[in-house]
Amino acid sequence: MIPDVCDGGDLEVVPGAALAFAVLAASTSAILIRWSAAPSSVAAFYRVLFTTAIVAPIALGFHREEFDRLSRRDLLGATVAGVALAAHFASWFESLSYTSVAASVTLVQTQPLFVAAGAALVLHERVTRTTVVGIVVAIAGAAVMSFGDAGQAPVADATLYGNALALFGAVTVAGYVLAGRSIRQRVSLFPYVTVVYAACAVTLFVLVGVQGHDYVAYPPREWALFLAMAVGPGILGHTVSNWALKYLESVVVSVAWLGEPVGSTVLALALLGEIPDVATVVGGLVVLTGIGWTTVDRRRRKARLSEEGQA
């Protein structure tokens, strides 16, 4: 467990550094996937399985009684969230076999836009005109990345397929976020993620079998990569980010996570020799502009509502 070192100290420097570390850890995910020679569904399965093995003892050790109080509705909702997360991992991991790291990671980071759309349609949350503009801008950037990158690939259709998989990964992870939004108000973090990851792992286990892949015939290097995916992006990335959220405003954390595509692109250049083309760079910047615009608008709306409540 990460101690609350900021309760009596600096409330900005330590969480800020921790958040930067979390984004960097998450940025290694695409690189680790590229290094792995295992089928994408197998890599996704073991990443989630090992992550579950890490968080489950914490949940059972400190929140055992909470499992007994889980309602059927919350259990079902967490299970659905886990299935959506499995679809996200399977599609995004597979996308990296067909398109560039820069395009894949940036396109999958459009998920806040789909969350906003889903919140308006499913949760009946108000979406402002500025948010709509941000969504349109980001989708335009995604189109530039998809069709521009395709022209540089040996097989354009394969690149478009990879970009489509990355976008599907964004949609499915948005479904995961929407499904868990109400549940997390009633269920604490570790019990929730344990159920979600367990459902995700079972779904990916079935997918591996359906695809006819071997479950265990992999060299030690692959097992080390599976564990690195769980510890790095899974635990050091998302868990540390959730810890920092206690001390930093949500908009700070959200905007910081937009640095993941940048980190992945830089790592891909340094470690894989993958040079992003002009369309990927320009389209990625447009996507991030749209997401940032949407995030800032939501923050401004919250501030206005707070001021009106105090008036």
Side-chain angles (χ1 to χ4, degrees):
M1 300 293 288
I2 304 174
D4 288 334
V5 296
C6 298
D7 285 343
D10 195 324
L11 294 178
E12 293 294 335
V13 176
V14 174
L19 181 58
F21 175 79
V23 173
L24 179 61
S27 299
T28 64
S29 182
I31 308 302
L32 293 170
I33 295 167
R34 276 292 184 84
W35 278 343
S36 174
S40 57
S41 58
V42 173
F45 166 64
Y46 280 112
R47 167 179 168 167
V48 178
L49 181 66
F50 290 164
T51 303
T52 307
I54 294 171
V55 301
I58 299 174
L60 293 173
F62 294 92
H63 305 276
R64 182 183 297 271
E65 70 287 348
E66 207 166 330
F67 284 98
D68 297 330
R69 298 199 303 266
L70 277 177
S71 67
R72 287 186 178 181
R73 177 184 175 185
D74 287 343
L75 186 60
L76 177 61
T79 301
V80 170
V83 173
L85 188 60
H88 160 70
F89 280 134
S91 57
W92 178 52
F93 277 38
E94 185 72 7
S95 77
L96 288 160
S97 298
Y98 295 94
T99 190
S100 67
V101 168
S104 175
V105 176
T106 303
L107 289 172
V108 84
Q109 281 289 354
T110 61
Q111 59 90 7
L113 309 176
F114 297 108
V115 169
L121 294 173
V122 179
L123 303 179
H124 307 293
E125 294 182 357
R126 181 171 174 264
V127 177
T128 67
R129 187 175 304 172
T130 304
T131 297
V132 172
V133 171
I135 292 173
V136 171
V137 168
I139 291 176
V144 171
M145 292 189 71
S146 297
F147 293 100
D149 193 36
Q152 304 296 323
V155 182
D157 287 346
T159 303
L160 288 173
Y161 176 63
N163 291 339
L165 285 173
L167 279 173
F168 182 72
V171 173
T172 49
V173 79
Y176 154 70
V177 171
L178 291 170
R181 180 170 294 177
S182 62
I183 301 173
R184 281 289 288 117
Q185 294 176 359
R186 299 182 296 275
V187 181
S188 57
L189 176 63
F190 280 102
Y192 171 70
V193 297
T194 298
V195 175
V196 170
Y197 287 162
C200 182
V202 169
T203 304
L204 291 170
F205 177 85
V206 172
L207 178 62
V208 170
V210 169
Q211 293 179 339
H213 299 310
D214 199 295
Y215 283 102
V216 294
Y218 300 100
R221 177 178 182 275
E222 291 297 327
W223 293 103
L225 287 171
F226 298 156
L227 182 60
M229 291 177 198
V231 174
I235 299 298
L236 298 180
H238 290 277
T239 302
V240 173
S241 177
N242 282 319
W243 174 82
L245 192 57
K246 177 179 178 181
Y247 304 100
L248 300 175
E249 295 177 345
S250 60
V251 66
V252 175
V253 177
S254 298
V255 172
W257 271 94
L258 300 181
E260 183 183 355
V262 178
S264 294
T265 301
V266 172
L267 289 174
L269 175 62
L271 301 176
L272 303 177
E274 189 173 280
I275 302 174
D277 58 24
V278 174
T280 297
V281 173
V282 174
L285 290 174
V286 174
V287 169
L288 297 181
T289 299
I291 295 175
W293 195 337
T294 303
T295 303
V296 171
D297 177 60
R298 295 181 69 185
R299 175 60 183 169
R300 286 173 178 170
R301 284 189 286 120
K302 288 180 65 177
R304 285 198 300 268
L305 289 174
S306 177
E307 291 175 358
E308 291 172 1
Q310 293 175 1

